[in-house]
Amino acid sequence: TWYFTEKWKVFKSDKKINRAEFVKTMISAKFSKNRINICPVNSIYFSDLPFWIWYEKFVCMAKKENLINWYLIWKLDSNWEWNFNFWWWKLINLAEALKILSKTYKLKTSEFKTNLWYLEHFIFAKRNNLLKWLENVKVWDFLSREDVARLIFNFEHHQNWLR
């Protein structure tokens, strides 16, 4: 995503990235344009996703490939419930990004299974040097565009030897 100033096109690498931008960036890096464009967007089951929005085909592809899901929310009656939202506007943190990227690249993280949903992905990424250049980013920190670019580069670059 580029921002236009008076004279220059600027990437704004330090800007935090939301879920829609993350999914667009990740899907664009992993899948061909043709494959993305044929995704049946009317099959997206997120209640907060407006039709004909710029990121719908990327969210469609991510959902179709089972890379993203709805959110579980804690109800007042002490039960978990699916709320069917994508929450496209929420900033993405390292834990969420690692889980989505691990699923995208079909990494075998299950050997690090724990009670914490994000820890297996974090341990795998740490042990396989996928957090290179992100040493100061904590698991709950929101990611910048630069962080996401580095993460995707690391996953893409190491994809062959991780299998």
Side-chain angles (χ1 to χ4, degrees), residues 90-117:
K90 282 183 67 173
L91 297 178
I92 194 157
N93 62 40
L94 181 61
E96 293 172 313
L98 287 176
K99 181 177 181 181
I100 294 169
L101 285 167
S102 294
K103 290 174 86 174
T104 302
Y105 289 91
K106 297 175 175 51
L107 304 180
K108 307 283 188 248
T109 62
S110 55
E111 67 182 279
F112 306 109
K113 211 60 159 159
T114 71
N115 290 337
L116 300 171
W117 65 266

Side-chain angles (χ1 to χ4, degrees), residues 11-42:
F11 179 61
K12 293 198 177 185
S13 61
D14 59 334
K15 186 177 184 307
K16 299 300 181 197
I17 194 166
N18 66 37
R19 291 172 52 83
E21 292 170 313
F22 175 78
V23 166
K24 184 222 183 259
T25 305
M26 183 238 356
I27 291 295
S28 296
K30 185 65 178 158
F31 298 98
S32 73
K33 246 184 194 175
N34 289 341
R35 191 156 171 214
I36 295 166
N37 286 332
I38 63 169
C39 192
V41 293
N42 58 345

Side-chain angles (χ1 to χ4, degrees), residues 15 28 33 39 56 61 64 71-72 78-79 88 116 124 130 133 137 146 153 161:
K15 186 177 184 307
S28 296
K33 246 184 194 175
C39 192
E56 74 177 342
M61 192 71 194
K64 181 179 165 200
Y71 267 92
L72 274 174
S78 300
N79 287 314
W88 60 269
L116 300 171
F124 184 91
L130 295 173
W133 301 304
V137 179
E146 179 180 355
F153 174 84
W161 61 266

